[in-house]
Amino acid sequence: MPQSPFPQVEDGTFVSGMGLDFRDYNNDGYPDIAFVALPSQTFPMFQNTGKGDFKEVTTPSGMRDLSRAMSGFGPGLFDFDNDGWKDMFVSGGHVESHDMPGQLVAHYNTVFRNRGANGNWEALTEAAGFVASRKSRHRGCAFADLDGDGRIDIVVSALGAPAEIWMNRSLTSNHRLDIALRGTKSNRDGIGARIKLVSKTVGAQYNHMTTSVGYASSSYGPVHFGLGPDARAYVIEIHWPSGIVETLRDLPADQVLKVTEPER
């Protein structure tokens, strides 16, 4: 029997995995895996080695200590402060229906800020504004720039409670570039297209077109990139599902760039 590319979690116990996201959060060109679980199980992080397997980095990244007491359902890796590093939102909530001794089923949502090249995370719950609302049994989550201000907003569902809309009001002057794909030889929405973007300060970063993210949820494009202080992208390289590779150069930031797959 071939060996699984996934190692056991660090303490060797079972984990009640809920939703997940699969994106390159350390800007090395290889999509990583983040998923969420129940209290005491942590939110495991698996880093893509680029050699056909993954290594768990939950403890060295700081995520183990930050998430041990949390319970989550839907994660999403998006650059909420547009600094060029994907952060992680988690919709908080327990799988049980009723409170138990020492365990509450309602939780706050949380954003984990990606602190960049050092590979560590910072938990922002109160600082992100989530304690301004009541705890709930949150489930699905979807992501989009709802008001067109260049910052990714969040919609979260909850059991027995109204859906929540969280508008991103991060105090940042960072730039961004959103890429809206239209396939011709590939599928219409460009799903599966891989994008590399290079800018002066941030360097290279990677993302891909997908609608699958979180728990029982779907989020449609465009593909979002934070550019930090960079007002232009030097190079954008799009690998379409058809096999066509398209290269665009010297593009201004702070726009939704519409790209149609070339018919060649």
Side-chain angles (χ1 to χ4, degrees), residues 30-197:
Y30 300 101
D32 310 296
I33 296 174
F35 69 92
V36 293
L38 303 181
S40 79
Q41 297 177 351
T42 77
F43 297 164
M45 311 294 295
F46 288 92
Q47 196 172 95
N48 193 329
T49 67
K51 301 176 182 178
D53 62 357
F54 295 78
K55 65 177 180 180
E56 187 175 2
V57 294
T58 313
T59 292
S61 70
M63 184 60 75
R64 185 179 184 86
D65 290 339
L66 294 174
S67 64
R68 180 182 288 276
M70 297 182 180
S71 183
F73 259 80
L77 291 165
F78 288 84
D79 188 353
F80 294 107
D81 56 4
N82 288 337
D83 65 350
W85 297 91
K86 297 177 188 66
D87 312 296
M88 185 170 77
F89 170 84
V90 175
S91 59
H94 201 281
V95 69
E96 297 291 348
S97 300
H98 303 285
D99 292 339
M100 300 166 288
Q103 178 60 63
L104 303 179
V105 299
H107 290 251
Y108 290 122
N109 301 313
T110 300
V111 164
F112 295 92
R113 183 173 181 267
N114 187 341
R115 301 179 67 180
N118 62 12
N120 290 333
W121 299 93
E122 175 186 8
L124 303 176
T125 304
E126 183 174 4
F130 293 123
V131 298
S133 75
R134 58 182 293 180
K135 294 180 179 180
S136 194
R137 290 186 293 153
H138 301 102
R139 291 297 186 262
C141 50
F143 305 87
D145 180 6
L146 298 176
D147 56 357
D149 68 352
R151 294 172 289 188
I152 296 295
D153 308 302
I154 308 165
V155 179
V156 187
S157 68
L159 298 181
E164 301 169 2
I165 300 177
W166 294 95
M167 304 303 296
N168 189 338
R169 295 294 180 254
S170 300
L171 298 177
T172 176
S173 59
N174 290 332
H175 299 281
R176 55 87 188 187
L177 187 62
D178 294 281
I179 302 174
L181 301 176
R182 180 180 178 275
T184 54
K185 297 187 68 175
S186 302
N187 63 84
R188 180 193 61 187
D189 298 317
I191 292 175
R194 296 174 288 114
I195 304 176
K196 174 183 178 181
L197 184 149

